[in-house]
Amino acid sequence: MMHWPSWLTWYKKPEYRDIKEYSAAVGSGQRALSPHGRHSMIPSQLKLERVLDNKTCSPMSLYDFYMYLMHIELSEENLEFYIWYKNYERNYDAASGDKDDVSFLTSESISSDVNLNEKASSSKTPDLHVDPEAAEQTVAKLAQLIISGATCARGSKCKLTCADRRKSSANNGFQLPTNGTNSTTTLTEAGYRKELNAIAQTFLIPGAPKELNIPPAMRSQALASIQTSSTPSHLRPVADHVYQLLRNCSHRNFVRLGVSNGTFETVCVATGLGIVLTIAGFLAVLLLAFTPYRGFHSRWTVFAAWPMWWLGVSLIMSGLRGSCFFLLLFSRRQPLPWERFTDAETGATQRTGLLRILSRLMIFDRKFRVKDVHLRDLQHKIVMQSLVAGAAFASCSVLLFIFLPVWSTSLY
Protein backbone atom coordinates (compact mmCIF):
# COMPACT_ATOMS: atom_id res chain seq x y z
CA MET A 1 0.00 0.00 0.00
CA MET A 2 1.42 3.38 -1.03
CA HIS A 3 1.57 6.12 1.59
CA TRP A 4 1.80 9.83 0.93
CA PRO A 5 4.90 11.59 2.26
CA SER A 6 4.11 13.34 5.52
CA TRP A 7 4.75 16.80 4.08
CA LEU A 8 2.12 16.14 1.39
CA THR A 9 -0.56 15.32 3.97
CA TRP A 10 -2.53 18.53 4.23
CA TYR A 11 -2.73 19.81 7.79
CA LYS A 12 -6.24 20.71 8.83
CA LYS A 13 -6.76 22.70 12.00
CA PRO A 14 -8.82 20.62 14.47
CA GLU A 15 -12.33 21.88 14.93
CA TYR A 16 -13.23 23.23 18.35
CA ARG A 17 -15.30 20.87 20.46
CA ASP A 18 -17.08 22.05 23.61
CA ILE A 19 -16.27 19.61 26.40
CA LYS A 20 -19.49 20.26 28.33
CA GLU A 21 -21.70 19.66 25.31
CA TYR A 22 -19.71 16.56 24.35
CA SER A 23 -19.85 15.10 27.85
CA ALA A 24 -23.57 15.82 28.11
CA ALA A 25 -24.20 14.11 24.76
CA VAL A 26 -22.20 11.05 25.86
CA GLY A 27 -23.95 10.91 29.22
CA SER A 28 -27.40 11.08 27.60
CA GLY A 29 -26.50 8.44 25.01
CA GLN A 30 -26.78 10.82 22.03
CA ARG A 31 -23.27 9.93 20.88
CA ALA A 32 -20.56 7.37 21.56
CA LEU A 33 -17.24 8.04 23.29
CA SER A 34 -15.26 7.65 20.03
CA PRO A 35 -12.99 4.97 21.53
CA HIS A 36 -10.52 4.95 18.63
CA GLY A 37 -10.01 8.71 18.62
CA ARG A 38 -9.46 9.22 14.90
CA HIS A 39 -7.69 12.57 14.91
CA SER A 40 -5.67 12.38 11.71
CA MET A 41 -5.15 16.14 11.80
CA ILE A 42 -3.02 15.80 14.95
CA PRO A 43 0.51 14.47 14.25
CA SER A 44 1.42 11.28 16.09
CA GLN A 45 4.31 13.01 17.86
CA LEU A 46 1.87 15.46 19.46
CA LYS A 47 -0.73 12.90 20.55
CA LEU A 48 -2.21 13.00 24.03
CA GLU A 49 -0.24 9.92 25.09
CA ARG A 50 3.06 11.74 24.53
CA VAL A 51 1.80 14.81 26.38
CA LEU A 52 0.78 12.70 29.38
CA ASP A 53 4.16 10.91 29.29
CA ASN A 54 5.83 14.34 29.44
CA LYS A 55 7.60 13.80 26.10
CA THR A 56 6.53 17.07 24.52
CA CYS A 57 7.98 20.50 25.14
CA SER A 58 6.84 24.10 25.28
CA PRO A 59 4.32 25.16 24.14
CA MET A 60 2.91 21.62 23.98
CA SER A 61 4.22 20.31 27.31
CA LEU A 62 2.22 18.67 30.06
CA TYR A 63 2.49 21.86 32.11
CA ASP A 64 1.16 23.91 29.17
CA PHE A 65 -1.71 21.46 28.81
CA TYR A 66 -2.50 21.84 32.50
CA MET A 67 -2.41 25.64 32.27
CA TYR A 68 -4.70 25.50 29.22
CA LEU A 69 -7.21 23.36 31.11
CA MET A 70 -7.02 25.62 34.15
CA HIS A 71 -7.33 29.02 32.45
CA ILE A 72 -9.03 28.41 29.09
CA GLU A 73 -11.23 25.31 29.26
CA LEU A 74 -11.75 25.34 33.05
CA SER A 75 -11.59 21.54 33.25
CA GLU A 76 -8.27 20.87 34.98
CA GLU A 77 -9.98 18.36 37.27
CA ASN A 78 -9.96 15.78 34.45
CA LEU A 79 -6.18 15.82 34.12
CA GLU A 80 -5.65 15.91 37.87
CA PHE A 81 -7.90 12.91 38.46
CA TYR A 82 -6.42 10.89 35.59
CA ILE A 83 -2.82 11.42 36.71
CA TRP A 84 -3.78 10.62 40.29
CA TYR A 85 -5.48 7.41 39.20
CA LYS A 86 -2.54 6.20 37.10
CA ASN A 87 -0.17 6.73 40.02
CA TYR A 88 -2.59 5.15 42.49
CA GLU A 89 -2.97 2.12 40.23
CA ARG A 90 0.80 1.84 39.78
CA ASN A 91 1.52 2.09 43.50
CA TYR A 92 -1.30 -0.29 44.45
CA ASP A 93 -0.20 -2.94 41.99
CA ALA A 94 3.44 -2.62 43.02
CA ALA A 95 2.50 -3.03 46.67
CA SER A 96 0.03 -5.89 46.24
CA GLY A 97 1.84 -7.74 43.44
CA ASP A 98 -1.52 -8.38 41.75
CA LYS A 99 -0.92 -8.33 38.01
CA ASP A 100 -4.18 -10.00 36.97
CA ASP A 101 -6.34 -6.89 36.85
CA VAL A 102 -4.23 -4.08 35.41
CA SER A 103 -5.54 -3.31 31.92
CA PHE A 104 -8.08 -0.55 31.27
CA LEU A 105 -11.61 -1.50 30.37
CA THR A 106 -12.73 -0.92 26.82
CA SER A 107 -15.49 1.53 26.01
CA GLU A 108 -17.83 -1.33 25.23
CA SER A 109 -17.26 -3.04 28.57
CA ILE A 110 -17.65 0.26 30.37
CA SER A 111 -21.00 0.84 28.68
CA SER A 112 -22.20 -2.67 29.58
CA ASP A 113 -21.05 -2.32 33.19
CA VAL A 114 -22.88 0.98 33.51
CA ASN A 115 -26.05 -0.51 32.04
CA LEU A 116 -25.87 -3.54 34.34
CA ASN A 117 -25.33 -1.43 37.42
CA GLU A 118 -27.68 1.41 36.53
CA LYS A 119 -30.62 -0.14 38.34
CA ALA A 120 -28.53 -1.15 41.32
CA SER A 121 -26.89 2.26 41.71
CA SER A 122 -28.46 4.63 44.16
CA SER A 123 -28.78 8.37 43.88
CA LYS A 124 -27.99 8.63 47.59
CA THR A 125 -24.44 9.71 48.25
CA PRO A 126 -22.53 7.28 50.50
CA ASP A 127 -21.51 8.56 53.90
CA LEU A 128 -17.80 9.33 53.58
CA HIS A 129 -15.70 10.28 56.55
CA VAL A 130 -13.32 12.79 55.01
CA ASP A 131 -10.73 15.05 56.56
CA PRO A 132 -11.08 18.42 54.72
CA GLU A 133 -7.39 19.08 55.24
CA ALA A 134 -6.51 15.76 53.63
CA ALA A 135 -8.65 16.64 50.59
CA GLU A 136 -6.91 19.99 50.21
CA GLN A 137 -3.51 18.33 50.50
CA THR A 138 -4.50 15.86 47.80
CA VAL A 139 -5.34 18.65 45.34
CA ALA A 140 -2.13 20.49 46.21
CA LYS A 141 -0.08 17.34 45.60
CA LEU A 142 -1.76 16.78 42.24
CA ALA A 143 -0.96 20.31 41.07
CA GLN A 144 2.61 19.99 42.34
CA LEU A 145 2.95 16.68 40.55
CA ILE A 146 2.17 18.27 37.19
CA ILE A 147 4.21 21.41 37.81
CA SER A 148 7.26 19.42 38.92
CA GLY A 149 7.09 17.42 35.71
CA ALA A 150 7.20 20.49 33.50
CA THR A 151 10.70 19.65 32.24
CA CYS A 152 10.64 17.33 29.25
CA ALA A 153 11.34 13.69 29.98
CA ARG A 154 13.86 11.56 28.18
CA GLY A 155 12.58 10.44 24.79
CA SER A 156 11.42 13.91 23.82
CA LYS A 157 13.02 16.01 21.13
CA CYS A 158 13.30 19.53 22.43
CA LYS A 159 15.67 22.41 22.07
CA LEU A 160 16.95 22.33 25.64
CA THR A 161 20.16 23.43 27.30
CA CYS A 162 22.50 21.01 29.05
CA ALA A 163 21.14 22.17 32.43
CA ASP A 164 17.62 21.39 31.27
CA ARG A 165 18.72 17.93 30.18
CA ARG A 166 20.26 17.17 33.57
CA LYS A 167 17.11 18.35 35.32
CA SER A 168 15.01 16.24 32.95
CA SER A 169 17.03 13.11 33.75
CA ALA A 170 16.57 13.69 37.46
CA ASN A 171 12.82 14.12 37.07
CA ASN A 172 11.89 11.51 34.49
CA GLY A 173 8.41 10.16 35.18
CA PHE A 174 5.72 10.81 37.78
CA GLN A 175 5.33 9.45 41.28
CA LEU A 176 2.60 10.87 43.47
CA PRO A 177 3.42 11.01 47.19
CA THR A 178 0.59 9.27 49.00
CA ASN A 179 -0.58 10.52 52.40
CA GLY A 180 2.78 12.06 53.14
CA THR A 181 4.72 8.84 52.48
CA ASN A 182 7.13 7.81 49.78
CA SER A 183 5.62 6.27 46.67
CA THR A 184 7.51 3.04 47.36
CA THR A 185 6.07 2.66 50.87
CA THR A 186 3.41 -0.02 51.31
CA LEU A 187 0.25 1.55 52.72
CA THR A 188 -2.21 -0.10 54.99
CA GLU A 189 -5.85 -0.49 54.11
CA ALA A 190 -6.56 2.51 56.33
CA GLY A 191 -4.11 4.58 54.28
CA TYR A 192 -5.79 3.60 51.01
CA ARG A 193 -9.18 4.30 52.54
CA LYS A 194 -8.12 7.76 53.64
CA GLU A 195 -6.83 8.60 50.17
CA LEU A 196 -9.89 7.24 48.37
CA ASN A 197 -12.21 9.18 50.65
CA ALA A 198 -10.25 12.37 49.96
CA ILE A 199 -10.46 11.74 46.19
CA ALA A 200 -14.19 11.02 46.41
CA GLN A 201 -14.72 14.21 48.40
CA THR A 202 -12.71 16.19 45.84
CA PHE A 203 -13.84 14.70 42.51
CA LEU A 204 -16.79 12.32 42.77
CA ILE A 205 -19.40 13.55 45.26
CA PRO A 206 -22.03 15.86 43.66
CA GLY A 207 -21.09 19.43 44.45
CA ALA A 208 -17.44 18.57 45.10
CA PRO A 209 -14.86 21.34 44.58
CA LYS A 210 -13.58 19.61 41.43
CA GLU A 211 -16.59 17.52 40.50
CA LEU A 212 -16.02 15.37 37.42
CA ASN A 213 -18.50 15.58 34.57
CA ILE A 214 -19.41 11.89 34.39
CA PRO A 215 -22.72 10.01 33.97
CA PRO A 216 -24.73 9.76 37.22
CA ALA A 217 -24.87 5.95 37.09
CA MET A 218 -21.09 5.73 36.75
CA ARG A 219 -20.64 8.15 39.65
CA SER A 220 -23.01 6.24 41.94
CA GLN A 221 -21.45 2.89 41.10
CA ALA A 222 -17.92 4.19 41.73
CA LEU A 223 -18.87 5.74 45.08
CA ALA A 224 -20.60 2.57 46.19
CA SER A 225 -17.73 0.31 45.09
CA ILE A 226 -14.89 2.18 46.79
CA GLN A 227 -16.69 1.84 50.13
CA THR A 228 -16.08 -1.90 50.14
CA SER A 229 -12.66 -2.13 48.48
CA SER A 230 -9.61 0.02 47.69
CA THR A 231 -8.89 -1.84 44.44
CA PRO A 232 -8.19 0.62 41.56
CA SER A 233 -10.43 -1.34 39.20
CA HIS A 234 -13.50 0.25 40.78
CA LEU A 235 -12.43 3.64 39.39
CA ARG A 236 -11.29 2.43 35.97
CA PRO A 237 -14.57 3.32 34.21
CA VAL A 238 -14.29 6.84 35.59
CA ALA A 239 -10.63 7.13 34.58
CA ASP A 240 -11.37 5.82 31.11
CA HIS A 241 -14.27 8.25 30.69
CA VAL A 242 -12.09 11.14 31.80
CA TYR A 243 -9.35 10.03 29.40
CA GLN A 244 -11.82 10.02 26.52
CA LEU A 245 -12.84 13.59 27.38
CA LEU A 246 -9.20 14.65 27.45
CA ARG A 247 -8.47 12.99 24.10
CA ASN A 248 -11.63 13.84 22.17
CA CYS A 249 -12.13 17.40 23.43
CA SER A 250 -9.44 19.02 25.54
CA HIS A 251 -6.37 17.81 23.68
CA ARG A 252 -7.67 18.65 20.21
CA ASN A 253 -8.62 22.14 21.39
CA PHE A 254 -5.20 22.47 23.00
CA VAL A 255 -3.43 21.55 19.75
CA ARG A 256 -5.70 23.91 17.84
CA LEU A 257 -4.44 26.81 19.97
CA GLY A 258 -0.86 25.57 20.36
CA VAL A 259 -0.19 25.40 16.63
CA SER A 260 -1.56 28.92 16.25
CA ASN A 261 1.65 30.81 16.91
CA GLY A 262 0.17 34.30 16.70
CA THR A 263 -2.52 36.25 18.49
CA PHE A 264 -5.89 36.89 16.90
CA GLU A 265 -4.78 40.44 16.08
CA THR A 266 -1.55 39.29 14.42
CA VAL A 267 -3.26 36.58 12.37
CA CYS A 268 -5.94 39.05 11.25
CA VAL A 269 -3.31 41.56 10.12
CA ALA A 270 -1.31 38.92 8.24
CA THR A 271 -4.44 37.46 6.61
CA GLY A 272 -5.68 40.95 5.75
CA LEU A 273 -2.34 41.69 4.08
CA GLY A 274 -2.74 38.51 2.04
CA ILE A 275 -6.21 39.54 0.90
CA VAL A 276 -4.92 42.98 -0.10
CA LEU A 277 -2.04 41.47 -2.10
CA THR A 278 -4.35 39.02 -3.85
CA ILE A 279 -6.81 41.73 -4.84
CA ALA A 280 -3.92 43.99 -5.88
CA GLY A 281 -2.74 41.28 -8.23
CA PHE A 282 -6.07 41.17 -10.02
CA LEU A 283 -6.29 44.95 -10.18
CA ALA A 284 -2.78 45.15 -11.63
CA VAL A 285 -3.66 42.69 -14.40
CA LEU A 286 -6.86 44.58 -15.25
CA LEU A 287 -5.00 47.87 -15.38
CA LEU A 288 -2.35 46.39 -17.67
CA ALA A 289 -5.06 44.93 -19.89
CA PHE A 290 -7.09 48.12 -20.45
CA THR A 291 -4.73 51.08 -19.89
CA PRO A 292 -3.90 53.18 -21.75
CA TYR A 293 -5.98 51.07 -24.15
CA ARG A 294 -6.70 47.39 -24.83
CA GLY A 295 -3.90 45.61 -26.63
CA PHE A 296 -1.20 48.07 -25.56
CA HIS A 297 0.73 45.67 -23.28
CA SER A 298 2.19 42.26 -24.09
CA ARG A 299 0.51 39.22 -22.62
CA TRP A 300 3.74 38.36 -20.74
CA THR A 301 3.21 41.34 -18.43
CA VAL A 302 0.65 39.18 -16.59
CA PHE A 303 3.60 37.55 -14.82
CA ALA A 304 4.10 40.84 -12.94
CA ALA A 305 1.13 39.89 -10.76
CA TRP A 306 2.43 36.38 -10.01
CA PRO A 307 4.46 37.37 -6.86
CA MET A 308 1.48 39.24 -5.40
CA TRP A 309 -0.85 36.28 -5.91
CA TRP A 310 1.74 33.85 -4.59
CA LEU A 311 2.51 35.74 -1.37
CA GLY A 312 -1.09 36.85 -0.85
CA VAL A 313 -2.59 33.36 -1.02
CA SER A 314 0.26 31.96 1.09
CA LEU A 315 -0.59 34.43 3.85
CA ILE A 316 -4.28 33.59 3.57
CA MET A 317 -3.69 29.83 3.74
CA SER A 318 -1.54 30.20 6.86
CA GLY A 319 -4.10 32.51 8.46
CA LEU A 320 -6.97 30.11 7.82
CA ARG A 321 -5.09 27.55 9.91
CA GLY A 322 -4.63 30.07 12.69
CA SER A 323 -0.95 30.86 12.14
CA CYS A 324 1.10 33.89 11.21
CA PHE A 325 3.16 33.17 8.09
CA PHE A 326 6.10 35.37 9.10
CA LEU A 327 6.38 33.88 12.60
CA LEU A 328 6.29 30.39 11.11
CA LEU A 329 9.26 31.18 8.89
CA PHE A 330 11.45 31.86 11.92
CA SER A 331 9.99 29.25 14.32
CA ARG A 332 8.83 32.01 16.62
CA ARG A 333 5.59 32.43 18.50
CA GLN A 334 3.77 34.97 20.61
CA PRO A 335 2.54 34.22 24.14
CA LEU A 336 -0.37 31.81 24.08
CA PRO A 337 -3.67 32.61 25.85
CA TRP A 338 -2.92 30.59 28.98
CA GLU A 339 0.51 32.24 29.26
CA ARG A 340 -1.09 35.68 29.24
CA PHE A 341 -3.15 34.75 32.30
CA THR A 342 0.09 34.52 34.24
CA ASP A 343 1.06 37.98 33.03
CA ALA A 344 -2.32 39.34 34.10
CA GLU A 345 -1.99 37.77 37.55
CA THR A 346 1.47 39.23 38.08
CA GLY A 347 0.43 42.64 36.76
CA ALA A 348 2.87 42.48 33.83
CA THR A 349 0.21 43.74 31.41
CA GLN A 350 -1.66 46.87 32.44
CA ARG A 351 -2.52 48.30 29.02
CA THR A 352 -6.12 48.76 27.95
CA GLY A 353 -8.06 49.79 24.87
CA LEU A 354 -6.18 50.54 21.68
CA LEU A 355 -2.77 50.21 23.34
CA ARG A 356 -3.65 46.67 24.42
CA ILE A 357 -4.60 45.71 20.85
CA LEU A 358 -1.44 47.23 19.40
CA SER A 359 0.73 45.53 22.01
CA ARG A 360 -0.56 42.13 20.86
CA LEU A 361 0.62 42.67 17.28
CA MET A 362 3.69 40.76 16.18
CA ILE A 363 6.02 43.75 15.86
CA PHE A 364 5.31 44.93 19.44
CA ASP A 365 4.65 41.70 21.32
CA ARG A 366 7.15 39.37 22.94
CA LYS A 367 8.29 36.45 20.83
CA PHE A 368 9.55 33.05 21.94
CA ARG A 369 11.29 30.22 20.15
CA VAL A 370 9.25 27.04 19.72
CA LYS A 371 11.08 24.40 21.78
CA ASP A 372 9.18 21.31 20.71
CA VAL A 373 10.91 19.99 17.59
CA HIS A 374 7.84 18.15 16.34
CA LEU A 375 5.70 21.27 16.62
CA ARG A 376 8.36 23.20 14.72
CA ASP A 377 8.31 20.55 12.00
CA LEU A 378 4.53 20.87 11.79
CA GLN A 379 4.77 24.66 11.54
CA HIS A 380 7.41 24.39 8.79
CA LYS A 381 5.08 21.97 7.03
CA ILE A 382 2.30 24.57 7.20
CA VAL A 383 4.69 27.14 5.66
CA MET A 384 5.66 24.85 2.80
CA GLN A 385 2.08 23.84 2.09
CA SER A 386 0.99 27.47 2.12
CA LEU A 387 3.76 28.42 -0.29
CA VAL A 388 2.89 25.55 -2.63
CA ALA A 389 -0.82 26.44 -2.52
CA GLY A 390 0.04 30.08 -3.23
CA ALA A 391 2.26 29.14 -6.17
CA ALA A 392 -0.46 26.89 -7.60
CA PHE A 393 -3.06 29.66 -7.31
CA ALA A 394 -0.73 32.25 -8.87
CA SER A 395 0.11 29.96 -11.78
CA CYS A 396 -3.56 29.17 -12.45
CA SER A 397 -4.42 32.87 -12.34
CA VAL A 398 -1.65 33.68 -14.85
CA LEU A 399 -2.93 30.97 -17.19
CA LEU A 400 -6.44 32.38 -16.83
CA PHE A 401 -5.46 35.89 -17.93
CA ILE A 402 -2.57 35.29 -20.32
CA PHE A 403 -4.77 33.81 -23.05
CA LEU A 404 -7.46 36.50 -22.99
CA PRO A 405 -7.73 38.47 -26.28
CA VAL A 406 -6.84 41.78 -24.65
CA TRP A 407 -3.07 41.77 -25.15
CA SER A 408 -0.84 43.05 -27.90
CA THR A 409 -0.19 40.63 -30.73
CA SER A 410 3.18 42.24 -31.46
CA LEU A 411 6.31 40.34 -30.49
CA TYR A 412 7.74 43.54 -28.99
Side-chain angles (χ1 to χ4, degrees):
M1 182 177 179
M2 182 179 296
H3 295 279
W4 288 90
S6 59
W7 68 273
L8 285 177
T9 304
W10 185 260
Y11 173 75
K12 181 182 178 182
K13 183 171 66 173
E15 296 180 359
Y16 174 78
R17 181 176 289 172
D18 187 273
I19 188 171
K20 293 183 179 179
E21 294 180 0
Y22 181 86
S23 181
V26 170
S28 62
Q30 296 180 3
R31 66 173 302 163
L33 263 174
S34 303
H36 301 293
R38 298 173 181 174
H39 303 324
S40 58
M41 71 289 293
I42 300 177
S44 59
Q45 297 298 334
L46 297 178
K47 291 288 187 180
L48 176 61
E49 290 77 8
R50 287 183 58 84
V51 175
L52 295 177
D53 289 340
N54 207 28
K55 292 183 179 180
T56 51
C57 292
S58 177
M60 302 299 297
S61 67
L62 176 62
Y63 177 71
D64 286 289
F65 188 38
Y66 183 57
M67 290 295 102
Y68 163 79
L69 294 176
M70 179 180 295
H71 294 296
I72 306 301
E73 196 169 271
L74 307 179
S75 62
E76 70 276 8
E77 66 276 1
N78 291 330
L79 181 61
E80 291 173 346
F81 177 84
Y82 184 76
I83 289 183
W84 168 84
Y85 175 80
K86 294 300 291 181
N87 280 271
Y88 181 80
E89 182 187 49
R90 183 188 303 114
N91 296 338
Y92 188 94
D93 292 337
S96 64
D98 183 9
K99 305 299 181 183
D100 298 331
D101 193 22
V102 176
S103 60
F104 270 82
L105 299 178
T106 62
S107 298
E108 291 79 4
S109 62
I110 292 173
S111 300
S112 62
D113 288 343
V114 171
N115 292 332
L116 289 174
N117 294 314
E118 188 170 5
K119 294 182 179 180
S121 62
S122 173
S123 59
K124 182 180 179 180
T125 302
D127 185 17
L128 300 175
H129 300 284
V130 182
D131 182 2
E133 184 178 353
E136 293 179 1
Q137 291 178 354
T138 300
V139 176
K141 289 176 182 178
L142 288 169
Q144 185 61 35
L145 173 67
I146 299 174
I147 295 174
S148 64
T151 304
C152 306
R154 286 178 296 182
S156 60
K157 292 185 177 181
C158 307
K159 293 296 182 181
L160 302 176
T161 63
C162 295
D164 292 332
R165 288 295 183 189
R166 288 193 295 268
K167 183 178 179 182
S168 174
S169 299
N171 191 25
N172 183 30
F174 300 119
Q175 290 296 326
L176 176 64
T178 307
N179 294 328
T181 64
N182 295 329
S183 59
T184 56
T185 302
T186 302
L187 296 178
T188 62
E189 180 64 26
Y192 287 123
R193 171 63 46 217
K194 181 179 180 181
E195 182 173 358
L196 284 176
N197 287 347
I199 289 297
Q201 178 73 19
T202 305
F203 295 101
L204 297 178
I205 293 179
K210 292 180 176 289
E211 181 183 355
L212 296 175
N213 193 352
I214 57 178
M218 183 184 295
R219 183 192 311 277
S220 300
Q221 180 63 32
L223 288 172
S225 298
I226 63 176
Q227 297 308 299
T228 59
S229 172
S230 60
T231 306
S233 60
H234 296 312
L235 292 176
R236 286 180 190 168
V238 179
D240 189 79
H241 182 88
V242 167
Y243 176 80
Q244 296 290 345
L245 293 180
L246 289 172
R247 182 179 63 180
N248 295 321
C249 295
S250 302
H251 179 253
R252 61 184 290 148
N253 297 338
F254 172 65
V255 172
R256 173 188 174 92
L257 278 181
V259 176
S260 302
N261 58 353
T263 62
F264 176 78
E265 292 82 358
T266 295
V267 173
C268 285
V269 170
T271 306
L273 177 60
I275 295 174
V276 170
L277 287 174
T278 304
I279 295 176
F282 286 103
L283 292 177
V285 171
L286 293 176
L287 288 174
L288 290 173
F290 297 103
T291 58
Y293 54 86
R294 194 174 74 171
F296 179 81
H297 294 285
S298 171
R299 67 179 68 249
W300 306 112
T301 57
V302 176
F303 282 96
W306 194 93
M308 289 187 285
W309 285 327
W310 172 58
L311 182 58
V313 173
S314 297
L315 290 172
I316 294 173
M317 295 306 298
S318 294
L320 289 177
R321 289 180 284 181
S323 299
C324 174
F325 180 82
F326 299 108
L327 287 170
L328 290 176
L329 285 176
F330 301 102
S331 297
R332 292 293 190 272
R333 67 176 181 87
Q334 295 176 260
L336 291 165
W338 55 87
E339 294 173 319
R340 295 186 184 274
F341 273 91
T342 304
D343 295 338
E345 292 172 357
T346 58
T349 55
Q350 300 292 339
R351 298 172 180 173
T352 58
L354 182 60
L355 289 178
R356 179 177 177 271
I357 296 176
L358 292 176
S359 66
R360 291 167 64 92
L361 294 177
M362 180 185 67
I363 57 176
F364 301 113
D365 203 2
R366 295 169 298 159
K367 287 171 279 294
F368 305 99
R369 187 167 181 81
V370 178
K371 292 183 179 180
D372 192 277
V373 174
H374 301 296
L375 179 59
R376 292 175 59 185
D377 292 341
L378 175 59
Q379 292 177 340
H380 292 158
K381 173 181 174 180
I382 293 176
V383 170
M384 294 302 301
Q385 290 180 347
S386 300
L387 292 173
V388 170
F393 179 86
S395 300
C396 292
S397 298
V398 167
L399 292 176
L400 174 65
F401 285 98
I402 201 172
F403 293 109
L404 294 179
V406 294
W407 308 107
S408 172
T409 58
S410 174
L411 297 177
Y412 302 100

